Amino acid sequence: MKTIKIGLLGLGNIGTGTYKTLDMNRAEIEKAAGTSVDIVKILERDVDRDRGITVPKEKFTSDPDDIFKNPEIDIVIELLGGIEPASTFMLTAMQNGKHVVSANKAAIAANYDKLIETAKENNVIFRFEASVGGGIPILGTLTGPLCANRFEEVMGIVNGTTNYILTKMTVDGLDYDTVLKDAQAKGFAEADPTADVEGIDAANKLSILMALMFDKYIAPDKIPTTGITHITSEAIEDARSRNCTIKLIAHARKLDDGEVDYKVAPMEISNEHPLAGINNEFNAVFVTGNAVGDVMFYGKGAGPLPTGSAVLGDVIEISKTIK
Amino acid sequence: MKTIKIGLLGLGNIGTGTYKTLDMNRAEIEKAAGTSVDIVKILERDVDRDRGITVPKEKFTSDPDDIFKNPEIDIVIELLGGIEPASTFMLTAMQNGKHVVSANKAAIAANYDKLIETAKENNVIFRFEASVGGGIPILGTLTGPLCANRFEEVMGIVNGTTNYILTKMTVDGLDYDTVLKDAQAKGFAEADPTADVEGIDAANKLSILMALMFDKYIAPDKIPTTGITHITSEAIEDARSRNCTIKLIAHARKLDDGEVDYKVAPMEISNEHPLAGINNEFNAVFVTGNAVGDVMFYGKGAGPLPTGSAVLGDVIEISKTIK
């Protein structure tokens, strides 16, 4: 049996979750892939941090070329986060003939066309299931079992931090600042929450969803984006009086003339709509196709193991193809 | 560009929906498949029925061998329904080297092992996404993007008729017999509703889900099955007083000793649980994996176009592999 060899860029939370998931579910993963799967090199300076996993020290390197120029490595998993150097690393990996898996929505949304084109030019596979919805298998479903549809609309709750904050404001009647501080204390919001609460993270994900659903790439900074920082308890009560709940929605819709209308903004969702009941840190993506009608996918949009599960789903797909 | 040629068994509601979806979304389907796709022969006696589609008369045949023995045909789509002759036809198609797509849960659940084994022996692909959850892409997700998980549990609302009846009983406070008659009048329940209301259809789907999730085939008649015919308005009110909703659930759970516990039965679901809000004819499948945690898939579990969308998703997957 061939072994698929992986170079991992970054052993932070998601990298550790991916390593852990591979250890934990090796039998299922290798059965599905039809090959052995091994992470052989890890680009990570912090060798000594206690991550709750045992990683042989010789796997660590601080030189990316130990991965890119290593002829044994088939797949590079990029889990560094941030636009650079992640984007350049993904392109370099592709140019060296490596298939690439990434969970990095910021880098993918910023450089979508270049990444897709470079993968094509170098005849390698580029997959990024974990970049939208974390563990929720939305991208592979849109491009797989649902691809006999012409897509009409997507409405996504794709950011767990803002959904947690809005849920606590709605259920407990607390104001934004109080809930944000609580979310930061509990680890549901970062010390600098800007990318989440201003809707930037959701715009990155909408950019990726639109590229796959409508074959139309819009850079995230061109998506009209409103965050949740101005949402008051009064606005939430007003919505409730109309039998609605306020959610931060990444929304895109195909118009009759073929154009696509898109934005990220807090919206009042009728309590009859399935998205209204998606609470706390959960994510959901509601999609309308011209044959299937309305479908919705729900799950944990973040977290080391859910995201690791999606990353390894991509590794399995690539392994099945190249083995 | 190669053309993938299809033989279709049955042009009833689902067959017509599949034909219609292919006509409507041909551009998307052929782009995704990377080939032309054409239904060249249809096994169907009723040539003259008005189906709202234009089918050239020369495509019809009443002789199955016109499909099985036709060397041009790559894929057979079986949409006859019922266990026989559908099962025998699928096996014969495989033995003649045809890849097979089916939406027929009764036939697949009854003859799962034989169908899988025959496909393997004849080196053909067998796909059946539409057999569980209609248009909801659940099977391809379990065996695709989620397959890096060890699955722990599934809870499914997988029968639209019973969910419609229970929803009307719950929301409108009506009794079972009144709602059943209304559902029959509206076309949401069949004249003989036994397979739905007694849970037989749900047991067929649970059998297929367990085979894929736990690699364990249990014949549907070995699954303890209770339908909804004995559910009273009082039981629904009792559940409501406990903040619960009664749903017909197809349930399977992996036990600590590796065995699987399974049944189809009406269950009280807490109103906090996402399944409690799945109403009317909608279906939803709630799955727990050891890495991804809880995920749920929601959509129309039946209907010609949603089911046709799932059937054609399978056709695209096969076409990509064999083209």
Side-chain angles (χ1 to χ4, degrees):
Chain A
M1 190 154 81
K2 181 176 162 58
T3 297
I4 298 290
K5 293 190 176 162
I6 295 169
L8 176 60
L9 309 182
L11 198 61
N13 281 338
I14 304 301
T16 303
T18 301
Y19 200 96
K20 223 179 248 181
T21 302
L22 177 57
D23 265 1
M24 180 170 78
N25 293 349
R26 185 172 292 279
E28 286 77 10
I29 290 166
E30 297 190 341
K31 190 181 170 200
T35 67
S36 298
V37 175
D38 200 13
I39 294 174
V40 297
K41 274 285 168 210
I42 300 170
L43 180 72
E44 174 66 53
R45 285 221 165 75
D46 185 355
V47 177
D48 296 319
R49 187 178 138 205
D50 181 8
R51 298 173 170 92
I53 52 175
T54 312
V55 183
K57 287 217 170 169
E58 64 272 19
K59 290 197 178 183
F60 285 93
T61 179
S62 55
D63 178 2
D65 277 347
D66 281 352
I67 289 173
F68 303 143
K69 304 290 184 197
N70 183 336
E72 288 208 320
I73 287 178
D74 306 289
I75 301 174
V76 170
I77 302 178
E78 183 278 307
L79 300 175
L80 296 166
I83 296 178
E84 285 298 349
S87 299
T88 301
F89 281 179
M90 286 194 268
L91 295 170
T92 308
M94 291 173 183
Q95 284 152 356
N96 283 281
K98 312 303 185 198
H99 307 283
V100 172
V101 174
S102 174
N104 185 337
K105 59 257 178 182
I108 298 167
N111 295 297
Y112 185 82
D113 281 343
K114 181 80 184 152
L115 286 161
I116 296 291
E117 188 188 307
T118 305
K120 214 170 182 177
E121 280 168 10
N122 291 280
N123 201 24
V124 296
I125 304 169
F126 176 40
R127 293 183 70 97
F128 40 91
E129 179 63 66
S131 67
V132 179
I136 307 172
I138 175 70
L139 303 185
T141 305
L142 293 171
T143 57
L146 284 183
C147 71
N149 284 272
R150 191 174 307 150
F151 294 110
E152 296 173 346
E153 189 168 10
V154 58
M155 295 176 75
I157 296 174
V158 289
N159 179 272
T161 302
T162 47
N163 202 41
Y164 177 86
I165 293 172
L166 290 174
T167 301
K168 291 293 163 204
M169 289 177 72
T170 303
V171 174
D172 300 336
L174 299 170
D175 66 27
Y176 174 80
D177 291 323
T178 308
V179 177
L180 174 61
K181 272 177 203 131
D182 166 65
Q184 285 170 321
K186 287 189 173 138
F188 287 128
E190 299 195 42
D192 175 2
T194 312
D196 292 318
V197 299
E198 296 295 357
I200 299 164
D201 176 74
N204 285 331
K205 291 163 178 170
L206 184 60
S207 170
I208 297 170
L209 283 167
M210 284 196 287
L212 294 182
M213 292 177 67
F214 304 123
D215 202 12
K216 188 178 183 74
Y217 167 65
I218 309 286
D221 59 4
K222 298 281 181 290
I223 296 174
T225 299
T226 310
I228 64 162
T229 55
H230 67 289
I231 300 289
T232 60
S233 304
E234 291 70 34
I236 287 174
E237 282 315 307
D238 274 3
R240 199 196 307 271
S241 72
R242 288 185 284 272
N243 196 32
C244 288
T245 302
I246 295 180
K247 296 289 183 188
L248 182 67
I249 302 289
H251 182 234
R253 190 167 57 98
K254 197 132 190 187
L255 304 175
D256 290 341
D257 62 3
E259 288 301 298
V260 178
D261 186 40
Y262 46 86
K263 70 175 169 183
V264 171
M267 296 181 197
E268 288 194 8
I269 303 292
S270 159
N271 288 335
E272 310 295 312
H273 193 285
L275 284 174
I278 307 303
N279 285 327
N280 296 312
E281 75 275 27
F282 279 87
N283 282 203
V285 182
F286 191 91
V287 169
T288 308
N290 72 334
V292 74
D294 296 335
V295 288
M296 187 178 81
F297 308 87
Y298 160 96
K300 286 227 174 95
L305 295 186
T307 309
S309 138
V311 166
L312 290 165
D314 280 347
V315 167
I316 291 167
E317 275 307 310
I318 294 174
S319 301
K320 279 157 77 172
T321 307
I322 67 172
K323 75 174 180 203
Chain B
M1 190 155 81
K2 181 175 161 57
T3 296
I4 298 290
K5 292 189 176 160
I6 295 169
L8 177 59
L9 309 182
L11 198 61
N13 282 338
I14 305 302
T16 303
T18 301
Y19 200 96
K20 225 178 246 180
T21 302
L22 177 56
D23 265 0
M24 180 170 78
N25 294 347
R26 185 172 292 277
E28 286 76 9
I29 290 166
E30 297 190 342
K31 189 180 172 199
T35 67
S36 298
V37 175
D38 200 12
I39 295 174
V40 296
K41 273 286 167 208
I42 301 170
L43 180 72
E44 173 66 53
R45 285 218 166 77
D46 185 356
V47 176
D48 296 318
R49 187 178 138 203
D50 180 10
R51 299 174 169 91
I53 52 175
T54 313
V55 183
K57 286 216 170 170
E58 65 272 19
K59 289 196 179 182
F60 284 93
T61 179
S62 55
D63 178 2
D65 276 348
D66 280 352
I67 290 173
F68 302 144
K69 304 291 185 196
N70 182 337
E72 288 208 318
I73 287 178
D74 306 289
I75 301 174
V76 170
I77 301 179
E78 183 279 306
L79 300 174
L80 296 166
I83 296 177
E84 286 298 350
S87 299
T88 302
F89 281 179
M90 285 194 269
L91 296 169
T92 308
M94 291 172 182
Q95 285 151 357
N96 282 280
K98 311 302 184 199
H99 307 284
V100 172
V101 174
S102 174
N104 185 338
K105 59 258 178 182
I108 297 167
N111 294 298
Y112 185 82
D113 281 345
K114 182 77 184 154
L115 286 161
I116 296 292
E117 189 189 305
T118 305
K120 213 170 184 178
E121 280 169 11
N122 291 280
N123 201 25
V124 296
I125 305 170
F126 176 41
R127 294 184 70 97
F128 40 90
E129 179 64 65
S131 67
V132 180
I136 307 173
I138 175 71
L139 303 185
T141 306
L142 293 170
T143 57
L146 285 183
C147 71
N149 284 271
R150 191 173 307 151
F151 294 111
E152 295 172 347
E153 188 168 12
V154 58
M155 294 176 76
I157 296 175
V158 289
N159 180 274
T161 302
T162 48
N163 202 41
Y164 178 87
I165 293 172
L166 290 174
T167 300
K168 291 293 164 203
M169 290 177 71
T170 302
V171 173
D172 299 337
L174 300 169
D175 67 27
Y176 174 79
D177 290 323
T178 308
V179 176
L180 174 60
K181 271 178 205 132
D182 166 66
Q184 285 170 320
K186 288 189 173 137
F188 287 130
E190 298 195 42
D192 176 2
T194 311
D196 293 318
V197 299
E198 297 295 357
I200 299 163
D201 176 74
N204 284 333
K205 291 163 177 170
L206 185 60
S207 169
I208 296 170
L209 283 168
M210 284 196 287
L212 294 181
M213 292 176 67
F214 303 124
D215 203 11
K216 188 177 183 75
Y217 168 66
I218 309 287
D221 58 4
K222 300 281 183 288
I223 296 175
T225 299
T226 309
I228 64 161
T229 56
H230 67 288
I231 301 289
T232 60
S233 304
E234 291 70 36
I236 287 175
E237 283 314 308
D238 274 3
R240 199 197 307 271
S241 72
R242 288 184 284 271
N243 196 32
C244 288
T245 303
I246 295 181
K247 295 288 183 189
L248 182 67
I249 302 290
H251 182 232
R253 190 168 56 99
K254 197 130 190 191
L255 303 175
D256 290 341
D257 62 5
E259 289 302 298
V260 178
D261 186 39
Y262 47 87
K263 70 175 169 182
V264 171
M267 296 182 197
E268 289 194 6
I269 304 291
S270 159
N271 287 334
E272 310 296 312
H273 194 285
L275 284 174
I278 308 303
N279 285 326
N280 297 311
E281 75 275 27
F282 279 87
N283 281 203
V285 182
F286 191 91
V287 169
T288 308
N290 72 334
V292 75
D294 296 335
V295 287
M296 188 177 80
F297 309 87
Y298 160 96
K300 286 227 174 94
L305 296 186
T307 310
S309 139
V311 167
L312 290 165
D314 281 347
V315 167
I316 291 167
E317 274 307 309
I318 294 174
S319 302
K320 278 157 77 173
T321 307
I322 66 173
K323 73 174 183 204

